[in-house]
Amino acid sequence: MREVLEREDKWDVDELFEMPRLDDVVTGAEVEHDSVDLSSEYYDTPERDLQAHGVLLRHRTGDDDTGWQLKIPADDGRAELHWPSTEVLPDSVKALLKGITLGKELSGVATIHTVRNRYRIRMPGVGDRYAEIDDDCVRAWADERLLAWREIEVELGPRTPSVPKRLAKRLAAGGARPSRYPSKLAHILPPLPAAEAASPAARALLRYVNTQIDQIVVGDIGLRRGQDPIHDTRVAIRRLRSTLRVFGRVLDQSAAGDLDDELRWFAGILGDVRDCQVQHRRFMKALDEVPEDLILGPVRSRVRNDLQAVELPARAQVTDAMDSPRYLAIMAVLRTWRTVPPVDPETSTTRLVKRAWKAQRKADRRLTAALGEDAGDDAMLHRARKAAKRARYAAELCQDVGGSKQTKRTVKHYKRFQSILGDHQDTVVARTVLRRMALAGGTTAGENGFTFGLLFGREQRLADECRRQARKLL
């Protein structure tokens, strides 16, 4: 499998459009021109689950990229994964898409034929392509639909930050208009049914929910690829759970069901892996600051081996969970929400703001109780931290409907609490792990628990400092 990052702009043009001059778009550039004849067969489930999540799967012939191609959303464009050409879809691709397709069969949904005039802009002495401008004459078939059109694609090179302004101006002057369609497939396939969000508040809530779903889906594919998007996936799950809890009365509870509990289950499994990663980095950094004559015994080996003994089974549990009916049921609910969101289309901004205020008051009560002079209960601080996160996320959502400067200050206020109390929670986990390591090291021949005691004391001091910093914010 090969991967490239695709970043492109699409422009609609008519038959009279003429390609503008390109050799001076970038000073000193060279332009290579050729033509290719491309044919692509696109695949999806009968319910078009891939389309719902912005994922494209096709088999292409006609150029150097002949084979299976999968396009998935990425932070800066789309990641494009390539497999060699085979008669049937490789099992590895099916496995990669299981969380989206829910195990359903994939079949052809559209055929697109493109005659492409390619203009590749290169810089002398630089191997990377600066940009590629494609003049495409397209014919597409989907069921009984037959369409033909012409479009311009501007695909950026790996080191090109954005479409050159000179090029954009020339395309616009020639009659090109930014395309309404994110892909050729979207041009030929009718859009999926979707509920209309009439009010600004409903649109903001829907955007926020969809953003978290998108991140969870990207995380699903990443995990199945053997990557490590655990942190980003957990954050998206937390934000979605926070939305369910804070704005639950604004959402359709019959559609939400027990999703909060199910997301908590999966986030907990991911957390077992994430905690090991965080603690490994934490302990190794701390050991770098300890004088070598105070590191008694194979401390680094003990840290690495003990944490790996927890992390490896935890990773296996993540893999098992993602193939389970329970996890696929979560993904099925999220898929349904893409076309039938549990959002009242007439939701008012006032309702959202009131729910956010309630979350803030709850966070304030918990923070005050947990940070009182006589308070020191780690569980109370952890609960206060979670309340602060929900208050922050709720305020961020309200910002999307014209939040005031006060809303921005609210976000920053609870973000500071979340950060400090998050550091405190890391010390709670670290102390538990260090105590276990100290006991094991102190009773094993050739080892010593002394250094773990030093690290434990360090974590205790950090915990006390976190409490002092948090009290200053009250």
Side-chain angles (χ1 to χ4, degrees):
M1 181 184 69
R2 179 171 62 89
E3 177 180 353
V4 296
L5 178 64
E6 178 189 72
R7 296 180 300 142
E8 64 180 23
D9 277 6
K10 300 174 72 66
W11 302 69
D12 292 331
V13 296
D14 58 26
E15 292 302 317
L16 299 179
F17 176 83
E18 295 184 5
M19 184 67 70
R21 180 180 176 184
L22 300 174
D23 59 354
D24 65 342
V25 166
V26 182
T27 303
E30 298 175 349
V31 180
E32 302 172 355
H33 174 233
D34 65 359
S35 298
V36 290
D37 199 307
L38 306 172
S39 183
S40 298
E41 181 78 14
Y42 286 81
Y43 291 78
D44 207 333
T45 66
E47 294 77 19
R48 290 195 276 162
D49 297 301
L50 299 188
Q51 183 184 1
H53 290 297
V55 175
L56 297 179
L57 173 64
R58 70 187 179 194
H59 184 269
R60 167 172 280 186
T61 58
D63 66 356
D64 296 339
D65 288 334
T66 291
W68 294 96
Q69 299 176 359
L70 179 67
K71 297 186 179 186
I72 56 178
D75 290 338
D76 185 19
R78 290 189 298 188
E80 189 174 288
L81 312 182
H82 295 245
W83 288 264
S85 182
T86 55
E87 289 187 8
V88 297
L89 181 66
D91 289 339
S92 59
V93 182
K94 294 180 183 178
L96 205 61
L97 294 172
K98 185 175 181 179
I100 301 177
T101 65
L102 308 175
K104 289 178 279 189
E105 288 296 319
L106 291 158
S107 58
V109 294
T111 301
I112 298 180
H113 179 259
T114 303
V115 177
R116 169 169 289 176
N117 279 300
R118 298 189 299 198
Y119 300 84
R120 291 173 170 172
I121 301 177
R122 298 185 185 276
M123 301 301 294
V126 179
D128 290 338
R129 185 173 70 247
Y130 183 84
E132 177 175 311
I133 296 88
D134 298 325
D135 185 353
D136 291 344
C137 292
V138 186
R139 287 182 297 152
W141 301 264
D143 293 328
E144 298 181 355
R145 290 168 59 86
L146 172 61
L147 290 178
W149 70 91
R150 185 183 177 196
E151 67 179 34
I152 303 295
E153 284 188 5
V154 180
E155 185 171 341
L156 303 178
R159 301 182 186 180
T160 310
S162 60
V163 175
K165 292 183 179 179
R166 182 178 295 178
L167 174 60
K169 288 181 179 179
R170 289 181 181 177
L171 291 174
R177 304 168 306 282
S179 178
R180 297 170 293 161
Y181 303 100
S183 66
K184 290 180 173 64
L185 184 62
H187 200 133
I188 183 63
L189 287 183
L192 292 169
E196 292 292 334
S199 70
R203 289 194 292 271
L205 184 54
L206 190 56
R207 280 194 299 270
Y208 194 84
V209 168
N210 282 339
T211 297
Q212 312 321 318
I213 293 175
D214 289 344
Q215 184 59 60
I216 292 171
V217 168
V218 169
D220 175 278
I221 296 175
L223 286 166
R224 294 180 191 276
R225 291 180 62 195
Q227 296 180 329
D228 201 19
I230 288 178
H231 174 66
D232 290 343
T233 303
R234 290 185 73 215
V235 170
I237 290 174
R238 282 200 301 262
R239 289 178 181 273
L240 187 53
R241 290 188 62 215
S242 175
T243 304
L244 289 169
R245 298 188 67 177
V246 174
F247 300 103
R249 294 188 179 181
V250 182
L251 301 173
D252 181 350
Q253 288 301 302
S254 63
D258 57 357
L259 183 61
D260 183 28
D261 290 338
E262 295 302 281
L263 288 172
R264 179 173 57 186
W265 160 72
F266 185 60
I269 295 174
L270 295 177
D272 292 339
V273 178
R274 178 65 178 169
D275 285 346
C276 292
Q277 296 172 332
V278 171
Q279 296 307 321
H280 183 268
R281 288 196 296 269
R282 188 181 190 88
F283 295 157
M284 290 304 181
K285 181 180 178 180
L287 286 170
D288 289 342
E289 299 173 359
V290 175
E292 284 297 322
D293 60 341
L294 296 182
I295 300 179
L296 307 185
V299 176
R300 289 185 175 85
S301 295
R302 165 67 68 178
V303 169
R304 181 174 56 253
N305 294 338
D306 280 16
L307 290 176
Q308 281 185 349
V310 176
E311 182 179 351
L312 294 179
R315 285 190 177 276
Q317 190 177 5
V318 171
T319 300
D320 291 343
M322 291 179 66
D323 286 332
S324 70
R326 186 175 184 180
Y327 174 80
L328 294 179
I330 294 174
M331 299 301 289
V333 172
L334 299 184
R335 163 62 182 92
T336 300
W337 285 16
R338 296 296 293 180
T339 47
V340 189
V343 176
D344 180 354
E346 301 294 340
T347 298
S348 68
T349 301
T350 300
R351 288 191 72 191
L352 286 190
V353 171
K354 283 184 177 179
R355 301 305 300 172
W357 282 348
K358 185 174 181 179
Q360 293 165 26
R361 290 194 296 271
K362 185 174 184 178
D364 291 343
R365 289 195 301 270
R366 287 193 177 181
L367 289 166
T368 301
L371 293 168
E373 290 298 328
D374 297 329
D377 185 89
D378 291 337
M380 289 180 63
L381 288 169
H382 188 41
R383 291 178 69 236
R385 173 197 173 212
K386 290 191 288 187
K389 280 194 292 189
R390 288 193 291 270
R392 170 198 168 186
Y393 297 154
E396 286 177 342
L397 196 157
C398 289
Q399 273 188 293
D400 199 20
V401 277
S404 62
K405 291 183 178 180
Q406 178 58 44
T407 307
K408 294 181 180 179
R409 287 193 291 268
T410 298
V411 171
K412 292 179 65 175
H413 174 70
Y414 289 109
K415 186 177 181 179
R416 286 195 293 266
F417 266 120
Q418 177 187 341
S419 177
I420 293 170
L421 295 184
D423 291 341
H424 180 273
Q425 180 61 20
D426 286 343
T427 71
V428 173
V429 176
R431 280 176 280 158
T432 301
V433 175
L434 288 169
R435 186 175 186 277
R436 185 171 64 245
M437 289 181 178
L439 289 172
T443 56
T444 301
E447 295 192 39
N448 193 303
F450 174 79
T451 306
F452 294 106
L454 292 181
L455 296 181
F456 187 95
R458 173 181 179 273
E459 295 294 342
Q460 187 65 61
R461 292 191 296 274
L462 288 173
D464 293 339
E465 178 60 25
C466 287
R467 290 192 187 94
R468 284 192 292 271
Q469 291 180 14
R471 288 192 183 104
K472 291 180 181 179
L473 297 179
L474 286 175

